[in-house]
Amino acid sequence: MDKIKALWAKYKEIITYVFFGFVTTVVNYGVFALCGHVFHFDVVISNAIAWILAVIVAFITNKLWVFESKKRDAKTLGREFAEFVIGRLITLALESVLLWIFVDKIGVNDLIMKIITSVIVMAVNYIFSKFIIFKKKKAE
């Protein structure tokens, strides 16, 4: 049991990031598939709608449980959310361009390409969140 506790303490941030990343991904994929396959929206429009809902889920879970940002004042919340959205906009652009090229221009299956781009996006989002958005100050 002590080994499990030690592993949890050492890898808690990564474990919770992966877990909540999975939750966010389910939201993202579910909305993406619903928009594209049920409502027949364009792939980029479907991706944008899915992204908005996923960003809201990701911000809440990253702030509270992954990076455990304790400050709740309006200024900190506003800064964190703005930085979070800017980081996510950067990766949305990356993901959208990749989807447009590979799905619309080359003809790769949209869901397969969505999985591939999501792996890239999750890695870049982790770096933004850990080292920029929710970076812990030395006093914290």
Side-chain angles (χ1 to χ4, degrees), residues 30-86:
V31 173
F32 180 77
L34 184 69
C35 288
H37 293 269
V38 174
F39 298 112
H40 306 290
F41 293 163
D42 175 77
V43 68
V44 174
I45 299 297
S46 297
N47 194 56
I49 294 168
W51 177 84
I52 290 167
L53 293 176
V55 165
I56 293 167
V57 170
F59 178 76
I60 293 167
T61 59
N62 277 239
K63 178 169 181 57
L64 297 178
W65 297 299
V66 176
F67 299 104
E68 298 178 341
S69 177
K70 303 293 185 201
K71 292 190 174 182
R72 303 286 193 267
D73 60 281
K75 183 178 177 182
T76 301
L77 283 171
R79 179 193 56 78
E80 287 176 343
F81 188 71
E83 289 176 355
F84 196 84
V85 169
I86 290 166

Side-chain angles (χ1 to χ4, degrees), residues 111-122:
L111 296 176
I112 290 171
M113 199 59 220
K114 181 75 172 165
I115 291 167
I116 293 168
T117 58
S118 291
V119 171
I120 296 165
V121 165
M122 285 180 71

Side-chain angles (χ1 to χ4, degrees), residues 84-129:
F84 196 84
V85 169
I86 290 166
R88 292 317 195 259
L89 282 169
I90 291 167
T91 57
L92 171 64
L94 172 65
E95 184 178 38
S96 294
V97 166
L98 291 172
L99 286 170
W100 176 72
I101 291 168
F102 286 95
V103 175
D104 288 348
K105 298 300 177 192
I106 298 174
V108 177
N109 178 276
D110 62 338
L111 296 176
I112 290 171
M113 199 59 220
K114 181 75 172 165
I115 291 167
I116 293 168
T117 58
S118 291
V119 171
I120 296 165
V121 165
M122 285 180 71
V124 174
N125 284 339
Y126 179 81
I127 291 166
F128 283 159
S129 292

